[in-house]
Amino acid sequence: MKTARLIPLLAVAAGICAVVVALALGGGAPQPSAQGLPDAGPLVGWMLPIASVLARLASVGTIGFLIAATFLLPNRGNEVEGLSAVAVTRAGALATAWSVASLAQYGLTVADVFGRPLHALSFPLLWTLAADTSLGRALVVQAFVAAVVALACRWTVAVRQLAAWVVVAILALLPVSLTGHATATAAHDLATTSLFVHVAAASVWVGGLAALVWIAIRGSKRLPAALQRYAALATWAFGALAVAGILNASTRLVRLSDLTTTSYGAILLVKAGLLVFLGFWAWRIRRHVASAATGFLRLAAAELVVMTVAVGLGVALGRTPTPATGVITTPAEELLGGPVPPAPTFGRLMWGWEPTGVALAVVLFGATLYVAGLWVLHKRGDTWPVGRVLAWFAGLVVVYWAGIGGLSQYAHVLFSAHMGSHMMLGMVAPILLVLGAPITLALRTLPGPRQPGEVSPRALLMSFLHTPFVRLLTHPVVGPSLFIGSLFVLYFTGLFDFLMASHWGHGAMQLHFLAVGSLYYYVIIGVDPSPRTLPPVVRFAILMFTIPFHAFFSVALMSAHHVIAEPYWSIIDRPYRTDLLADQYLGGGISWAMGEVPLVLVFGALFVQWIRSDIREARRRDRAADRDGGAELEAYNARLRALSENSKRRSPASGRDPQP
C-alpha cells in the first residue's frame, strides 16, 4: 500500500518528463536570443512549460476529486460524508496548488515575454502583461477562480452546491484556451472552442480516473459503484475529447502530410496514438473489472501514468510552432479568421460552410445527447413522441445553417446576413428546440439514486429547475425584457462594435441569441417542466406584448442614419455591397419580416396546447365521474337548482317580499 501511494508522484513525474522530451525533440525547447536582445535564460525557458504542466495536472485533480465527491461516490443525503468529504478536502488542496502554479506560470511568462531573469522582474512588468495581453489576463483569471474554488471546497458540504463548483472549475479552463496557437490560425473560432472542449473532456476523463485510483488506494468498498458510474462518464468524455482533438488539429495543420513532415505533426501523432490506446485499454479494464473491481488499482495506475504523459505532450504542443502559423496575413483575415468570401449567391448562402466552433458544438452535443436519451428510452421499452424528435432536429438544422452553414459564412461580412443569422438563432431555432422537450427527456433518462437519499444527476437537474435563479429567469417579465432589451443594448450602445472585433465575440453573440430566445419561448410554450405554470391566455398576452417592441427595434434599425460598427466594416473592406447603410437597412427589413415567422409558429403551438389541455381536463373529469358516480356533476346541478329556487322567491312577480 505504501508503494501505491507513490502513484500520484510517478504520474506527475511522467507528465514533466513528457513535456521536456517532446520540447527537446520537437524544436520547442528554449533557444538563446539573438545577439543584443534581452534573454530570460534557459532556467525560465524550461521552468515555464514545467509550471504549465503542474497547473494542468492540478486543475485535472481538482475537477476529478470534485466529480468523485459529487457524482461518483454514493451519498446518503444532500451533504457529503466520509470519503466524499475527504475528496472535497483533496480538491481544495489541489485547487490551491492550481492557483499557485498559475501565478508561477504568470511570472515566468512575464520573464519569458520581456526577456528578463526572474530576479530582474518589477511590478510595472508584471502589471503590463495583464494589462496589455490576453494571455496575461487569462492566467490571472485562472489563478483567481482556482483560489475561489479552493475556498469553496473549504466551506461547502452540500452536493448540489459542489456540483455547481464542478462547472465553475471546468469553466476556469476557458480563458487560457482562448489564447496561444488557437488565436493565431485561420478558423480561430473553431480552434478555440475545440481546444476548450478537448481540455475540459480530458480533465473529466483523467481527473475522474485519478480520483478512482485514490479511492482504490484507500480501500473503499464504494469503489465498484463509483467505477460503474465513471465508466459512462468516461465514455462521453473520451468521445468529446477525440472529436474536439480532430477538429482542433485540422486548424493547426495546413495539409495532411504535415503529420509526418513536421515536429508538431509528430508530437500530435504520438499523443493521438496514446489516446487511442488509452481508450481501448480503458474499455478493456472496465469490461473485466467493473463488477468486482478486481485488479483495478494496478491497471488503472498504469493508465493514469500514460494519461499524464498525454497531458505533458499537450502542453508541449502548445509551445511548438504549428504548420499553420503565419496563415493570417491581413487585418481583415485576422478579424474573419480567413480570407473574405466571394460575393454571395443563392448556392453559397444555402450550401456554404463556415466552421464556427460554438454552433458546431451546439449541433454535435445537441444531436448526440438527444439520440442517447432516445436510445435509453428504447432500451427500457418506452416511447417518445415523433413530433418532438422532428422539432428538435429541425431546430438543430436551423442552428447549423445560421451558425455553421452558408448564412454564417457571410454573417461576419454583411450586416444583413448577420441579422438573418441572428433571427434564425434567436427566434426560429429556439421555438423548435423548446418543442423538442429536452429537459423532459433528460429527466426521464438521467441516472437516478443508487441508494435512498442520494442526490442523483436526475435530482440535481430537478432541483436546479426550482432554484430561485430559475424562478427569477422564468418570471413573465424577465424573459421578454431580456429578449427585447438585449437587442437595443447590443446594437445601439457600441457593444456590437466591441464583440465583432474579437475572436470570442462572435461565439458569445451566438450563445446569447440561442440562450435568450430559448428562455423566452421556454416560458411561452412551456412544454418542459418549469417552476412557473402560466395559463395559455397569459402566454398569448406575453407574445402580443413583445411583438410590437421587436417591430419598433427593426424600424429604428432601418431609420438609422449612421452605420453601426462602421470601423469593423471598413477593415473588412468587402468588394461587394459596398453601400453599408443600404445593407444595414436590408438587415432591419430582415429583422422586421422574420418577426412574423415565430408569431405563426408559436400561435400554432399554443393553440394545440390549449386544445390538448381542454381534452386532458375533460378526460380527468370523466374519470372522476366514473369513480364517484357523477357526484361532482350532481353537486353542480343541485347548486343550480338552489340558485333557481332562490331567484323565484325573490322575483317581483310573486307580489310579496321574500321570507326572511
Side-chain angles (χ1 to χ4, degrees):
M1 187 58 66
K2 291 183 178 180
T3 304
R5 295 182 183 275
L6 297 177
I7 293 174
L9 294 177
L10 180 61
V12 172
I16 294 175
C17 291
V19 71
V20 171
V21 172
L23 289 176
L25 299 179
Q31 302 293 331
S33 301
Q35 187 68 27
L37 295 179
D39 190 359
L43 178 63
V44 171
W46 284 112
M47 286 181 63
L48 180 55
I50 292 175
S52 301
V53 170
L54 293 177
R56 279 288 296 117
L57 293 179
S59 68
V60 166
T62 301
I63 294 170
F65 276 88
L66 283 175
I67 289 176
T70 308
F71 298 104
L72 302 184
L73 291 170
N75 291 292
R76 291 179 294 182
N78 187 40
E79 293 186 357
V80 292
E81 56 186 5
L83 196 59
S84 296
V86 179
V88 175
T89 304
R90 294 290 187 273
L94 287 167
T96 302
W98 182 13
S99 181
V100 172
S102 297
L103 291 176
Q105 188 181 355
Y106 178 86
L108 291 166
T109 302
V110 173
D112 185 59
V113 169
F114 293 103
R116 304 288 182 88
L118 292 176
H119 63 82
L121 295 181
S122 61
F123 179 77
L125 288 179
L126 293 171
W127 172 260
T128 300
L129 187 72
D132 296 343
T133 68
S134 59
L135 175 59
R137 290 188 291 271
L139 289 173
V140 170
V141 170
Q142 179 176 273
F144 174 77
V145 176
V148 172
V149 172
L151 292 175
C153 292
R154 187 184 181 96
W155 295 324
T156 307
V157 295
V159 174
R160 290 179 172 86
Q161 281 74 22
L162 287 171
W165 287 113
V166 172
V167 177
V168 172
I170 292 176
L171 290 178
L173 303 171
L174 179 60
V176 175
S177 300
L178 298 177
T179 62
H181 288 329
T183 59
T185 62
H188 41 62
D189 289 339
L190 179 61
T192 54
T193 305
S194 59
L195 179 61
F196 169 67
V197 174
H198 182 77
V199 172
S203 299
V204 172
W205 186 28
V206 182
L209 181 64
L212 287 179
V213 170
W214 173 76
I215 294 171
I217 292 174
R218 298 290 296 255
S220 173
K221 296 180 179 180
R222 294 189 286 177
L223 177 61
L227 180 58
Q228 184 177 11
R229 180 161 287 182
Y230 172 75
L233 185 65
T235 300
W236 282 99
F238 178 77
L241 180 146
V243 173
I246 293 172
L247 292 174
N248 190 261
S250 69
T251 66
R252 312 295 180 93
L253 305 174
V254 178
R255 58 189 65 86
L256 192 60
S257 60
D258 290 336
L259 287 171
T260 57
T261 58
T262 64
S263 300
Y264 186 91
I267 298 175
L268 187 63
L269 279 179
V270 174
K271 180 185 176 184
L274 285 178
L275 293 178
V276 171
F277 171 72
L278 284 171
F280 176 75
W281 192 2
W283 173 76
R284 297 257 324 165
I285 291 176
R286 286 145 189 73
R287 183 180 180 185
H288 290 295
V289 305
S291 58
T294 304
F296 171 77
L297 180 58
R298 176 176 54 84
L299 296 173
E303 182 184 358
L304 181 62
V305 171
V306 179
M307 280 182 170
T308 57
V309 171
V311 171
L313 293 178
V315 173
L317 284 174
R319 298 185 59 82
T320 303
T322 67
T325 301
V327 171
I328 297 176
T329 58
T330 66
E333 291 182 357
E334 172 68 23
L335 289 175
L336 298 176
V340 178
T345 62
F346 178 79
R348 288 169 182 159
L349 284 172
M350 290 301 298
W351 314 114
W353 162 259
E354 177 68 22
T356 56
V358 171
L360 183 60
V362 170
V363 171
L364 290 179
F365 277 109
T368 305
L369 291 172
Y370 204 87
V371 169
L374 295 177
W375 177 248
V376 172
L377 291 180
H378 174 73
K379 289 195 299 183
R380 285 206 310 245
D382 296 338
T383 59
W384 186 253
V386 176
R388 291 183 178 180
V389 177
L390 296 177
W392 178 260
F393 283 98
L396 292 182
V397 169
V398 174
V399 174
Y400 176 91
W401 182 55
I404 308 170
L407 187 58
S408 174
Q409 186 177 15
Y410 292 93
H412 303 162
V413 182
L414 295 168
F415 184 84
S416 55
H418 163 83
M419 190 54 63
S421 176
H422 176 173
M423 293 298 105
M424 285 291 177
L425 291 173
M427 299 194 72
V428 179
I431 299 175
L432 298 169
L433 295 177
V434 168
L435 289 175
I439 297 177
T440 302
L441 181 61
L443 290 173
R444 293 183 59 181
T445 56
L446 282 174
R450 292 168 292 185
Q451 62 185 31
E454 182 185 21
V455 181
S456 63
R458 183 188 306 159
L460 284 173
L461 177 58
M462 181 58 72
S463 61
F464 173 74
L465 293 176
H466 291 86
T467 57
F469 174 71
V470 177
R471 288 190 61 83
L472 174 64
L473 286 181
T474 54
H475 191 278
V477 176
V478 174
S481 299
L482 291 175
F483 187 70
I484 296 299
S486 62
L487 294 176
F488 292 92
V489 172
L490 177 61
Y491 293 102
F492 293 115
T493 63
L495 181 59
F496 180 71
D497 309 47
F498 171 73
L499 293 176
M500 288 295 286
S502 61
H503 296 166
W504 57 268
H506 303 295
M509 283 190 286
Q510 288 181 340
L511 280 180
H512 170 77
F513 299 151
L514 271 174
V516 173
S518 298
L519 172 63
Y520 176 70
Y521 291 114
Y522 169 65
V523 173
I524 291 181
I525 299 177
V527 175
D528 279 321
S530 172
R532 299 180 185 272
T533 303
L534 302 179
V537 64
V538 176
R539 299 177 188 177
F540 272 115
I542 295 175
L543 183 65
M544 297 304 297
F545 176 79
T546 306
I547 289 175
F549 286 97
H550 185 273
F552 178 74
F553 161 76
S554 303
V555 172
L557 202 60
M558 297 171 67
S559 304
H561 296 291
H562 69 283
V563 177
I564 299 175
E566 184 174 8
Y568 173 84
W569 306 116
S570 299
I571 294 175
I572 297 299
D573 192 25
R574 59 179 183 258
Y576 43 83
R577 293 196 62 83
T578 56
D579 190 338
L580 300 180
L581 202 57
D583 187 63
Q584 183 174 295
Y585 181 88
L586 177 60
I590 291 174
S591 173
W592 195 356
M594 293 189 65
E596 305 298 326
V597 175
L599 176 65
V600 176
L601 293 177
V602 175
F603 271 177
L606 289 178
F607 179 76
V608 171
Q609 288 183 8
W610 204 334
I611 296 299
R612 289 179 176 176
S613 177
D614 288 344
I615 293 175
R616 286 195 298 268
E617 180 64 19
R619 290 176 177 173
R620 187 191 67 79
R621 292 179 179 275
D622 290 341
R623 288 193 298 268
D626 292 338
R627 289 193 301 267
D628 57 23
E632 182 180 359
L633 180 60
E634 183 61 31
Y636 179 72
N637 291 333
R639 184 185 176 192
L640 290 180
R641 288 194 296 268
L643 290 174
S644 178
E645 292 295 332
N646 185 56
S647 176
K648 289 179 180 180
R649 288 197 301 269
R650 292 179 178 272
S651 175
S654 62
R656 52 189 175 88
D657 293 334
Q659 296 296 324

